[in-house]
Amino acid sequence: MENVLRGKNIIIGISGGIAAYKTPLLVRLLKKCGAHVRVVLTESATRFVSELALATVSEERVYRSLFPPADTTGVDYTRHISLGEWADAFVIAPATANTLARLSTGLCDDMLTALFLTLRPGKPVVVFPAMDGQMFLSPSVQRNIAILSAQGCMVINPDIGELASGLSGVGRMPEPESIVSSLEKAMNATADSSLLYGKSVVVTAGPTREKIDGVRFISNYSSGKMGFAIARAAAERGALVTLITGPVQLETPPGVKRLDVETAMEMYDVAENFFKSCNIFIGAAAVSDYRPAAPFEGKMKKEKPEIEITLIKNPDILAEFGKQKAQGQLAVGFALETHAGLDNARKKLNAKNLDLIAFNFFDRKTSGFEVDTNILTLIDKEGTTTELPQLTKDDAAEKLLDFIEKLCLKT
Ligand code: CTP
């Protein structure tokens, strides 16, 4: 693929979070791609990363203050404007809660925030929030992210993992390699190519496994192919895709952030992190409805002639999102049925407060689990019913996304 970063002018805005220590490596990677890089630091970022290191790797001076130093005379009072003109793209990594708040309200009390306002229209702004998990999930941070996304910024969800506090959760800044590939994606896509461009899309896929004992589980035949096809197609349209998948034998589609889980409870816990900040939630996973109430530690021995396993209900991930979704968020589900299909699908659409449901005909030859094709009937909440022919799962995913784009127009 052609290197889209070659010769491009990239500004990296760094705010004051621990992840700032990784930014010299980010600058290095961008320079290796042939980009010209200039760095803008907030005051608190200087506590986490050295200006000298950034100036050395970028081979440029680093910008911090809106005003030139007191001992210089000259006319350099409008650097925020000339930098805005110079930039082909603006990456803000890490973006702290404070910086997100200042960006979303239009404050411009330092170089980073002032520059944000002077960028030329249509230039990609890619924002990487990174902070403690609870801070990230707080309503204020989520609101500010929603404002920035609505303005056309690509806000990339943080990774899940160990945090500086020693806790584990959502909030880690993606690694520099991943930041570079998000930026490449942003530069490749154009804002008018798809209504999904820059939208945050969460897809669940695959089966879940519910433990009976240390070596056995309850599961289903889902291969994850449909969910992966949707994730791939959405990423190709410029969406920021988070794919939460149960155990499957599939390659991660390019540009998709994949999170592997095993049980329905794990899938729920991971998905919950993204409920508030995503634009579109697509439940394509075949989530086990029940799990053994008390999985046996170790391996059960076949001592008794019969055993009983009590199953308890798992949370319904999609229904939970449907219940919590805010104005403008879309919830899309699948309905796998073996009889009374359309009626049941309509009931699920209403019960889970969905915007669209794809009724999935199940025969294990042409449609449903494991096979490479699907026969979908799409039903939206106004009752419009669209029957699709037998299609490959890739083509069915494209049709589904075409339909979702139409819904985006209405929201
Ligand atoms: N779903 C979910 N969490 C669950 C169960 C289902 O998110 N615990 C989602 C699926 O991903 C799918 C939709 O809900 O998008 C419908 O799933 P399906 O298995 O067809 O129906 P159920 O709601 O589980 O109902 P039933 O098993 O009674 O048909």
Side-chain angles (χ1 to χ4, degrees):
M1 190 169 71
E2 196 205 331
N3 177 1
V4 285
L5 292 170
R6 181 164 301 285
K8 291 291 186 318
N9 297 335
I10 311 296
I11 299 190
I12 317 260
I14 305 172
S15 58
I18 179 66
Y21 83 90
K22 294 181 182 173
T23 51
L25 183 56
L26 172 62
V27 174
R28 258 242 145 88
L29 290 175
L30 290 170
K31 295 279 290 180
K32 271 196 183 154
C33 295
H36 309 295
V37 183
R38 290 184 182 169
V39 174
V40 177
L41 283 177
T42 64
E43 209 48 49
S44 38
T46 59
R47 293 169 179 261
F48 296 96
V49 62
S50 112
E51 212 170 312
L52 181 61
L54 290 161
T56 308
V57 285
S58 67
E59 301 172 279
E60 291 269 359
R61 55 168 296 194
V62 168
Y63 298 82
R64 190 154 49 116
S65 170
L66 265 176
F67 304 103
D71 58 350
T72 52
T73 49
V75 289
D76 201 14
Y77 288 95
T78 55
R79 289 174 300 175
H80 56 299
I81 300 168
S82 50
L83 274 176
E85 277 172 349
W86 178 83
D88 291 312
F90 190 20
V91 175
I92 304 173
T96 58
N98 182 38
T99 293
L100 291 170
R102 291 184 304 130
L103 293 171
S104 67
T105 47
L107 277 179
C108 47
D109 51 356
D110 63 7
M111 185 56 120
L112 189 152
T113 47
L115 169 60
F116 177 66
L117 300 183
T118 68
L119 272 187
R120 294 301 172 255
K123 301 290 178 195
V125 180
V126 195
V127 184
F128 294 85
M131 64 198 76
D132 163 70
Q134 279 312 314
M135 284 174 87
F136 175 71
L137 295 173
S138 73
S140 311
V141 169
Q142 292 295 318
R143 180 199 56 218
N144 294 334
I145 288 177
I147 292 172
L148 292 171
S149 303
Q151 282 176 215
C153 298
M154 294 178 85
V155 185
I156 311 285
N157 278 323
D159 285 348
I160 292 177
E162 274 177 34
L163 302 171
S165 59
L167 298 171
S168 189
V170 64
R172 281 174 66 90
M173 186 176 85
E175 293 303 320
E177 291 78 6
S178 158
I179 294 181
V180 171
S181 78
S182 297
L183 176 61
E184 282 172 338
K185 224 169 101 187
M187 313 270 308
N188 262 325
T190 55
D192 56 3
S193 58
S194 161
L195 286 170
L196 295 184
Y197 171 85
K199 292 237 161 40
S200 161
V201 176
V202 174
V203 183
T204 66
T208 62
R209 288 179 180 173
E210 311 300 326
K211 285 195 178 77
I212 297 173
D213 68 5
V215 296
R216 305 177 181 93
F217 54 82
I218 298 174
S219 192
N220 55 61
Y221 292 112
S222 168
S223 62
K225 285 177 184 167
M226 193 65 231
F228 274 61
I230 294 169
R232 173 189 298 275
E236 278 169 6
R237 293 179 191 214
L240 312 166
V241 184
T242 305
L243 174 63
I244 306 169
T245 179
V248 295
Q249 302 295 321
L250 296 171
E251 298 250 317
T252 310
V256 166
K257 179 184 286 190
R258 169 176 175 166
L259 301 167
D260 286 281
V261 296
E262 196 170 325
T263 65
M265 285 304 291
E266 284 168 10
M267 188 174 271
Y268 178 81
D269 287 343
V270 171
E272 204 189 10
N273 289 316
F274 302 108
F275 280 176
K276 288 191 197 127
S277 59
C278 76
N279 301 107
I280 302 168
F281 190 95
I282 306 177
V287 186
S288 300
D289 292 329
Y290 295 90
R291 66 180 185 277
F296 192 80
E297 295 262 333
K299 188 182 170 213
M300 277 200 301
K301 301 303 279 178
K302 56 171 187 300
E303 288 154 350
K304 299 181 191 155
E306 71 183 36
I307 54 165
E308 273 180 20
I309 299 172
T310 305
L311 301 177
I312 52 171
K313 223 172 193 171
N314 274 324
D316 190 316
I317 303 165
L318 184 62
E320 197 52 44
F321 178 76
K323 197 158 68 182
Q324 293 184 23
K325 81 182 156 93
Q327 177 74 24
Q329 287 186 306
L330 292 178
V332 179
F334 279 77
L336 183 76
E337 307 292 346
T338 49
H339 57 275
L342 276 178
D343 277 354
N344 280 334
R346 284 193 189 99
K347 279 185 200 145
K348 280 180 194 169
L349 177 87
N350 293 327
K352 301 191 191 205
N353 192 27
L354 307 181
D355 299 276
L356 182 70
I357 197 155
F359 159 53
N360 212 7
F361 182 67
F362 179 76
D363 66 2
R364 296 194 65 197
K365 287 192 198 85
T366 59
S367 178
F369 287 157
E370 288 183 306
V371 292
D372 289 323
T373 58
N374 227 349
I375 303 175
L376 299 181
T377 302
L378 308 181
I379 311 167
D380 69 15
K381 64 177 178 204
E382 272 134 34
T384 313
T385 302
T386 311
E387 280 183 39
L388 300 178
Q390 182 182 342
L391 294 170
T392 64
K393 286 188 172 165
D394 285 338
D395 288 345
E398 297 290 351
K399 293 277 181 232
L400 180 74
L401 293 183
D402 289 346
F403 214 92
I404 291 173
E405 288 201 9
K406 281 188 205 147
L407 295 182
C408 289
L409 273 178
K410 292 188 197 162
T411 53

